């Protein structure tokens, strides 16, 4: 089974904020299809009620959600790893 690589590395990007918004990382589409079992997040500020998702292109810039996972709260200031079960197809975004 291929290791699925999707999205950008979870590093300190203290100049970027996404409070109360959906952020789709299009910089590194999934390299394979399967199930994502872990995600990593580095939050500048603590977040509550966080969900992660995989997205696919419907047409142009119109995306739709393939799979979602609720991870809850994310404490700020370091890389955090969460166990999930997200369906993903090659070319999807996170």
């Amino acid at each position: 089974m291929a290791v699925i690589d999707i999205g950008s590395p979870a590093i300190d990007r203290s100049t970027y904020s996404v409070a109360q918004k959906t952020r789709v990382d299009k910089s590194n589409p999934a390299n394979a299809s399967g199930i994502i079992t872990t995600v990593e997040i580095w939050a500048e500020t603590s977040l509550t009620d966080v969900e992660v998702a995989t997205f696919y292109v419907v047409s142009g810039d119109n995306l739709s959600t393939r799979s979602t996972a609720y991870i809850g709260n994310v404490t700020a200031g370091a890389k955090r790893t969460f166990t999930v079960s997200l369906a993903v197809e090659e070319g999807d975004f996170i």
Side-chain angles (χ1 to χ4, degrees), residues 1 5 7-8 10 21 32 37 54 56 59-60 63 68 70 80 93:
M1 177 166 40
D5 180 27
S8 299
K21 296 183 181 183
T37 57
T54 54
Y56 63 94
S59 66
L63 303 177
T68 63
Y70 180 80
R80 312 291 179 196
F93 305 111

Side-chain angles (χ1 to χ4, degrees), residues 1-4 30-36 86-92:
M1 177 166 40
V3 174
I4 299 172
N31 66 326
S33 300
I35 301 294
I36 297 170
L86 289 168
V88 64
E89 296 293 326
E90 185 175 349
D92 282 359

Side-chain angles (χ1 to χ4, degrees), residues 22-92:
T22 300
R23 167 92 166 110
V24 178
D25 185 349
K26 290 182 166 182
S27 66
N28 182 32
N31 66 326
S33 300
I35 301 294
I36 297 170
T37 57
T38 59
V39 295
E40 297 174 341
I41 297 174
W42 187 310
E44 177 186 304
T45 59
S46 293
L47 307 171
T48 57
D49 292 326
V50 174
E51 289 183 78
V52 293
T54 54
F55 300 89
Y56 63 94
V57 175
V58 175
S59 66
D61 286 332
N62 185 14
L63 303 177
S64 188
T65 305
R66 182 175 308 283
S67 185
T68 63
Y70 180 80
I71 58 173
N73 299 334
V74 179
T75 304
K79 180 170 68 174
R80 312 291 179 196
T81 303
F82 301 90
T83 301
V84 297
S85 180
L86 289 168
V88 64
E89 296 293 326
E90 185 175 349
D92 282 359

